[in-house]
Amino acid sequence: MKYDFDTVRSRYNTFSMKYDGMGKRLKPGFIPLFVADMDLKCPPAIIEAMHKVADHEIYGYSGSFADDRYNQSIIRWFGDKYGFKIEPDWILPSAGTCSAINAAIREFSNVGDGVIICRPVYGHFTGMIEGDCHRKAVDCHLIKDENGNFHMDFDKLDKLCSEPNNRIFLLCSPHNPVGRVWTREELEKVVAITKKHNVMLLVDEIHCDIRRAGIDFIPVGTVTNDYSNICIFGGLGKTFNTAGLMCSNAIVPDEFLRARIRNELSGGLSPFAIAACITAYGGECDEWVDEMNKYIDGNIDYAIDFCRKNLPWVEVGRPEGTYCLWLDFAGSGLSGEEIHRRIYEDANVILQDGTVHDPEFGATCQRMCTPVARSVLVEAMERIAKVFTDIK
Ligand SMILES: Cc1ncc(COP(=O)(O)O)c(C=O)c1O
């Protein structure tokens, strides 16, 4: 490999939410695998671009519109990688993906309306829908088949979309935390159902670039030319490990929808964010992303293999996309509280409770984010196995 993902680099004293933020409340030596935030060093080209901005020594107001390369880099990335032909006008920059989704929920529904989601799903969807926007999260729960694979319940989705109070379907594609990368056929069904019932379709594609080898990502923007109910959200944060730079882009092809949310977005990006986007999507980081994906594939395979050998009663599927694992500890026969206590307190490994993503059925599940140096993952898995040696 050209890039070194194995070296462990301390993130303490860097304002890191994952380390400095959590460190205030946790026992020293904790291993944080709870948040979708990589510990891998970001691509050298982006680091260089950050230095250039810093070296200029003036950090005044900036705007993505001030440099054509901003939109062109996004057009290149999604066109070349996924065949999604984006027009410059469709791009609405925003400081963070969630803030843009938040704005869309507020614009396209009213207080008390239903927003459909497919749990288990990224827990902050519920936080945004209910906490920030005072709408109702309506669960169209994923179906788990006999092989442990997750599917959308299209009959239920059709029924929920037919209810007049349910104004929005918020889809996670690829799906965090279960790691499904939706197929073209699945997305076509989603588009047809939402269109039929005149429901807004908000698609969060932030995890699109992180996938297992051989798995293709289908942007929802390539399954239809009718964008009259579709807004797409994503950003650099996950792919290039730049979450702290707050650089996201909503893609809204429909002029009318765009006019409605443009002013709701906090689109003023820092010069660091703009430079990072141009560099990330512009062509200098493609090889890094390929290698990062290979490394994550290795981490995922390691963790799954470890479970098979040492924790065979843990149910875990191989995600097609994202770097998250959705682990079900129900086979231990222990309560959710006891599973949590053993992992978080005894093993001092910090995952994320399944109830964050699936309040009704997630009690025995844990989400583990794996984008860390292999040695850290090895240590975490060994610590977890040690606190369950009594379970056969
Ligand atoms: C599905 C999904 N959407 C959005 C976000 C957060 O994006 P941002 O930090 O750009 O708001 C995350 C972070 O984990 C995520 O998993």
Coordinates of all heavy atoms in Angstrom, one line a residue, residues 36 96-99 122 125 172 176 204 206-207 238 248, ligand 1:
A36 N -19.0 7.7 13.7 CA -18.5 7.5 12.3 C -17.5 8.6 12.0 O -17.8 9.6 11.3 CB -19.7 7.5 11.4
G96 N -22.2 21.1 6.8 CA -22.7 19.8 7.5 C -23.9 19.3 6.7 O -24.7 20.0 6.2
T97 N -24.0 18.0 6.7 CA -25.0 17.3 6.0 C -26.3 17.3 6.8 O -27.4 17.6 6.3 CB -24.6 15.8 5.8 OG1 -23.3 15.8 5.2 CG2 -25.6 15.1 4.9
C98 N -26.2 17.1 8.1 CA -27.4 17.1 9.0 C -28.1 18.5 9.0 O -29.3 18.5 9.0 CB -27.1 16.7 10.4 SG -26.7 14.9 10.5
S99 N -27.3 19.5 9.0 CA -28.0 20.9 9.0 C -28.8 21.0 7.7 O -29.9 21.7 7.7 CB -27.0 22.0 9.2 OG -26.1 22.1 8.1
Y122 N -29.4 5.5 11.3 CA -28.6 6.5 11.9 C -29.5 7.3 12.9 O -30.4 8.0 12.6 CB -28.1 7.4 10.8 CG -27.4 8.7 11.2 CD1 -26.3 8.6 12.1 CD2 -27.7 9.9 10.7 CE1 -25.6 9.7 12.5 CE2 -27.0 11.1 11.1 CZ -25.9 11.0 12.0 OH -25.3 12.1 12.4
F125 N -31.2 10.8 12.8 CA -32.4 11.1 12.0 C -33.5 11.3 13.0 O -34.3 12.3 12.8 CB -32.7 9.9 11.1 CG -32.0 9.8 9.8 CD1 -30.9 10.7 9.5 CD2 -32.3 8.8 8.8 CE1 -30.2 10.6 8.3 CE2 -31.6 8.8 7.6 CZ -30.6 9.6 7.4
C172 N -31.5 6.5 4.0 CA -30.1 6.5 4.2 C -29.5 5.6 3.2 O -29.8 4.4 3.2 CB -29.8 6.0 5.6 SG -28.1 6.4 6.2
N176 N -26.7 3.3 7.0 CA -26.0 3.3 8.3 C -27.1 3.0 9.3 O -28.1 3.7 9.4 CB -25.4 4.6 8.5 CG -24.9 4.8 10.0 OD1 -24.8 3.9 10.7 ND2 -24.6 6.1 10.3
D204 N -30.0 10.6 2.0 CA -28.7 10.9 2.6 C -27.6 9.9 2.1 O -27.6 8.7 2.4 CB -28.8 10.8 4.1 CG -27.5 11.1 4.9 OD1 -26.4 11.1 4.2 OD2 -27.6 11.3 6.1
I206 N -24.3 10.2 2.3 CA -22.9 10.6 2.8 C -22.0 9.4 2.8 O -20.8 9.6 2.7 CB -23.1 11.3 4.2 CG1 -21.8 12.0 4.6 CG2 -23.4 10.3 5.3 CD1 -21.9 12.9 5.8
H207 N -22.5 8.2 2.9 CA -21.5 7.1 3.0 C -21.3 6.4 1.7 O -20.7 5.3 1.6 CB -22.1 6.0 4.0 CG -22.1 6.4 5.4 ND1 -21.0 6.2 6.2 CD2 -23.1 6.9 6.2 CE1 -21.3 6.6 7.5 NE2 -22.6 7.1 7.4
K238 N -17.1 11.8 5.6 CA -16.9 10.4 5.9 C -15.7 9.9 5.0 O -14.8 9.2 5.4 CB -18.1 9.6 5.6 CG -19.3 10.0 6.4 CD -19.2 9.7 7.8 CE -20.3 10.3 8.6 NZ -19.9 11.0 9.8
S248 N -20.3 20.1 3.2 CA -21.3 19.2 2.6 C -22.0 19.8 1.4 O -21.9 21.1 1.2 CB -22.4 18.9 3.6 OG -21.8 18.2 4.7
Ligands
LIG1 C1 -26.1 8.8 7.6 C2 -25.3 10.0 8.2 N1 -25.7 11.2 7.8 C3 -25.1 12.3 8.3 C4 -24.1 12.2 9.2 C5 -23.4 13.4 9.7 O1 -23.0 14.3 8.7 P1 -22.5 15.7 9.0 O2 -21.4 15.6 10.0 O3 -22.0 16.2 7.7 O4 -23.7 16.5 9.5 C6 -23.6 10.9 9.6 C7 -22.5 10.8 10.6 O5 -22.3 9.8 11.1 C8 -24.3 9.8 9.1 O6 -23.9 8.6 9.4

